[in-house]
Amino acid sequence: MKELSIFIDESGDFGEVIERPAYYLVTLLFHEQKNDIDKNVKKLEESIKNSGFDFEYIHTGPVIRREDVFSRLPIDERRKLLFKMLNFIASSPITYEVVSVNRKEAIDKISLSGRLGREISNVVQKHNDFFDSFDKIIVYYDNGQIELGAVLNTVFSIHFANVEFRKAEPQKYRLLQAADFICTMELLKIKKNENRLSKSEQQFFYRPQELKKSFFKMIDKKRFGK
């Protein structure tokens, strides 16, 4: 049986827009099950352990902002973690698509749900031959936002009869963490283009052109169709 896994992560929320500009992003990371990633995952986890870390979940945003379990780590240690995830993504047989909605065009829950539904449906239709080549499609999402979960369920159920939804914890799936990483990078790309990176983001990526040359360029190579 030919099987496709789709790992979902989002940036933004369905609440009232307080700060502008604001964006809602959804990253869909694709992994064909015939392409084994066990060695990639093992290499990543060994690298994390050998560096003296013990993190099941490399949560990109908190790593950059020095939050949660990463609050006591100095910047160079946190940067090591992100480069490990970057290398994992670069070496893994995965691709992705990202949907971005400007919140000034979707100011409430109903309009945002509608826009996201249309945009995700467009992705599915654009790659229809690819999706139709699989006997089974499994969508992994942590159900962090009920509204997005409903949109995903509706869109994929309409397009596919062979889809299964699984609630997944990021701690148990490195590919969910990879989707989180990519989603964060896509948002950083928007913010950099608009010259509004936060102070913590500027401090973290302190080397000139590092974001563009080391992170954005590599991530873009994994975009579907590249």
Side-chain angles (χ1 to χ4, degrees):
M1 177 178 287
K2 191 176 181 183
E3 185 176 300
L4 175 71
S5 295
I6 305 178
F7 294 86
I8 306 289
D9 189 73
E10 85 289 329
S11 175
D13 61 62
F14 280 73
E16 181 181 355
V17 180
I18 299 175
E19 295 185 8
R20 295 182 183 274
Y23 297 86
Y24 194 103
L25 279 68
V26 178
T27 294
L28 300 90
L29 185 151
F30 309 119
H31 173 232
E32 299 184 41
Q33 285 299 315
K34 69 177 183 180
N35 299 324
D36 185 45
I37 63 165
D38 288 347
K39 291 181 179 179
N40 305 74
V41 172
K42 184 177 180 181
K43 184 177 180 180
L44 171 63
E45 295 182 346
E46 287 179 348
S47 178
I48 293 171
K49 184 177 180 180
N50 291 338
S51 294
F53 301 126
D54 185 24
F55 297 118
E56 292 183 329
Y57 183 7
I58 300 179
H59 197 179
T60 304
V63 170
I64 295 171
R65 296 187 298 268
R66 201 174 186 176
E67 296 173 347
D68 303 332
V69 296
F70 312 105
S71 62
R72 296 184 180 182
L73 293 181
I75 187 169
D76 288 340
E77 296 298 290
R78 287 181 287 124
R79 281 170 58 84
K80 283 182 183 178
L81 282 174
L82 280 210
F83 274 102
K84 291 179 190 301
M85 182 58 72
L86 181 70
N87 292 332
F88 168 67
I89 292 171
S91 64
S92 296
I94 57 177
T95 57
Y96 80 97
E97 280 277 17
V98 65
V99 165
S100 176
V101 175
N102 191 330
R103 286 302 309 271
K104 72 179 181 181
E105 300 169 357
I107 61 175
D108 55 33
K109 292 183 179 182
I110 294 175
S111 58
L112 179 55
S113 292
R115 278 292 303 274
L116 287 172
R118 289 193 296 273
E119 295 294 337
I120 295 172
S121 183
N122 287 340
V123 169
V124 173
Q125 291 173 345
K126 182 169 67 172
H127 306 305
N128 189 62
D129 290 342
F130 170 72
F131 290 116
D132 280 349
S133 69
F134 293 94
D135 301 302
K136 187 175 184 179
I137 296 173
I138 302 178
V139 179
Y140 294 85
Y141 179 55
D142 65 2
N143 287 349
Q145 295 187 17
I146 296 173
E147 297 90 346
L148 177 59
V151 170
L152 294 169
N153 196 301
T154 299
V155 172
F156 285 108
S157 295
I158 288 173
H159 285 282
F160 309 118
N162 57 342
V163 65
E164 176 183 330
F165 297 90
R166 293 184 185 176
K167 181 179 179 181
E169 298 177 10
Q171 294 88 338
K172 297 181 179 180
Y173 292 91
R174 291 296 183 183
L175 288 186
L176 267 180
Q177 298 174 39
D180 165 71
F181 183 99
I182 292 171
C183 205
T184 301
M185 290 301 144
E186 289 288 342
L187 180 60
L188 286 174
K189 187 185 298 182
I190 293 173
K191 294 176 69 174
K192 183 173 177 58
N193 289 339
E194 296 179 348
N195 296 312
R196 57 182 187 89
L197 290 175
S198 69
K199 184 177 180 180
S200 61
E201 290 160 352
Q202 293 178 49
Q203 291 175 338
F204 190 89
F205 301 101
Y206 58 79
R207 293 179 178 173
Q209 298 298 310
E210 179 178 59
L211 259 179
K212 181 178 180 180
K213 294 183 177 180
S214 296
F215 288 86
F216 298 162
K217 186 176 181 180
M218 196 294 297
I219 292 298
D220 195 55
K221 291 178 181 179
K222 292 295 181 177
R223 195 180 297 272
F224 194 100
K226 287 287 186 175

